[in-house]
Amino acid sequence: MVHFTAEEKAAVISLWARVNVELVGGEVLGRLLVVYPWTQRFFDNFGNLSSESAIMGNPKVKAHGKKVLTSFGNAIKHMDDLKDTFAELSELHCDKLHVDPENFKLLGNMILIVLATHFSKEFTPQTQAAWQKLTTAVANALAHKYH
Amino acid sequence: MLSAQERAQVAQVWDLIAGHEAAFGAELLLRLFTVYPSTKTYFPHLGSCADKAQLLSHGRRMLEAVGVAVQHLDNLRAALRPLADLHAQVLRVDPSNFPLLIQCFQVVLASHLQDEFTVEMQAAWDKFLTGVAVVLTEKYR
């Protein structure tokens, strides 16, 4: 079980309260699909992903990004219990979605970069470290049930 | 490797960094050491907690090398040969660390440029920095 200090939890929770989940979620997933185009392999049915603007404006990308980031919000409510919280989602990503866990790391890194664009100087090295710890822990929790 | 458009993006971002290599480099290193403490093992001479002057000095050197890479996008191997030799023979930084540095670089750019750090810029810089890392570790064996 990953232990988050009080400061780390505070850094995560206080920033999260100011995140527009719909906006940021769409941006995170959009950027993932543009910067690492091979990740598009999971989204054949999303329609037009032929250009950066098509991807960033794609309504399915935005909707799915919101869904993914909303799930992150759940992680933040259960930072002491991530493996159990994500057990079902882990099985889903392995058995049904067949997603290489490496992608969880890529998405996590993308969340940090988008947060940095929004929060600028407030996204201090310490804040970055706390968020990195969270995204790494979520990635590990999502990979935990793989077999 | 980089398209004409990607090169333009790289040059555009570099214009914002040029002249501020020390400050950007220091922030890059501070984030690297804070977020990925294991990377400090490559800088024992900086002590357990590097001071501002050391971060600025080493940060500037690293960013100046990035600047050299930006000026020689057509021939990274030749331009970075001395650095590639240094990394292969002396520094021997495990290749897994370069993505960590690249991630921190992106965060520095993102926090400074904010909305101006467009997805195209991010894609171009990620590709560019990854290319630099490949050249720097190519001679390892």
Side-chain angles (χ1 to χ4, degrees), chain A residues 30-31 34-36 52-53 56 108-110 112-114 116-121 123-126 128-129 132, chain B residues 5 27 30-32 34-36 99 103-104 106-108 110-115 117-120 122-123 126:
Chain A
R31 282 185 186 246
V34 170
V35 178
Y36 308 116
E52 284 120 356
S53 53
M56 299 309 286
N109 285 353
M110 203 56 78
L112 266 69
I113 291 168
V114 173
T117 63
H118 283 263
F119 292 104
S120 188
K121 301 284 182 294
F123 200 64
T124 63
Q126 289 74 15
Q128 183 186 348
Q132 184 62 60
Chain B
Q5 198 185 4
E27 189 185 330
L30 182 61
R31 286 185 184 274
L32 183 70
T34 307
V35 181
Y36 306 107
Q103 168 69 5
C104 288
Q106 302 284 52
V107 169
V108 171
S111 85
H112 281 261
L113 303 179
Q114 293 190 261
D115 282 341
F117 193 52
T118 62
V119 58
E120 290 92 346
Q122 183 185 344
D126 196 298

Side-chain angles (χ1 to χ4, degrees), chain A residues 113 116 128, chain B residues 10 13-14 16-18 20-21 24-29 31-32 35-36 59 62-67 69-70 97-113 117 121-122 125-126 128-130 132:
Chain A
I113 291 168
Q128 183 186 348
Chain B
V10 169
V13 172
W14 182 253
L16 301 161
I17 298 176
H20 310 283
E21 287 87 344
F24 269 92
E27 189 185 330
L28 171 64
L29 285 173
R31 286 185 184 274
L32 183 70
V35 181
Y36 306 107
M62 286 176 69
L63 269 277
E64 281 172 352
V66 173
V70 172
N97 289 284
F98 289 89
L100 306 183
L101 185 69
I102 292 171
Q103 168 69 5
C104 288
F105 208 121
Q106 302 284 52
V107 169
V108 171
L109 290 176
S111 85
H112 281 261
L113 303 179
F117 193 52
M121 271 187 186
Q122 183 185 344
W125 266 81
D126 196 298
F128 161 62
L129 290 174
T130 302
V132 170

Side-chain angles (χ1 to χ4, degrees), chain A residues 29-90:
Chain A
L29 186 61
R31 282 185 186 246
L32 185 78
L33 297 174
V34 170
V35 178
Y36 308 116
W38 56 91
T39 59
Q40 293 171 25
R41 71 190 298 283
F42 301 108
F43 303 103
D44 278 338
N45 63 337
F46 269 31
N48 187 4
L49 298 179
S50 61
S51 69
E52 284 120 356
S53 53
I55 291 170
M56 299 309 286
N58 185 309
K60 284 190 174 179
V61 170
K62 291 184 185 187
H64 195 71
K66 179 183 176 185
K67 191 172 172 182
V68 169
L69 208 66
T70 301
S71 184
F72 241 89
N74 196 31
I76 292 171
K77 293 201 189 95
H78 297 94
M79 285 168 76
D80 290 328
D81 189 27
L82 291 171
K83 288 209 165 71
D84 285 341
T85 303
F86 283 96
E88 259 187 63
L89 269 177
S90 179

Side-chain angles (χ1 to χ4, degrees), chain B residues 78-89:
Chain B
L80 298 178
R81 184 175 297 132
L83 264 183
D85 288 341
L86 183 73
H87 280 76
Q89 290 153 26

Side-chain angles (χ1 to χ4, degrees), chain A residues 114-145:
Chain A
V114 173
L115 289 179
T117 63
H118 283 263
F119 292 104
S120 188
K121 301 284 182 294
E122 263 188 86
F123 200 64
T124 63
Q126 289 74 15
T127 303
Q128 183 186 348
W131 274 87
Q132 184 62 60
K133 194 168 167 180
L134 174 67
T135 56
T136 300
V138 170
N140 289 337
L142 276 172
H144 189 63
K145 291 287 196 179

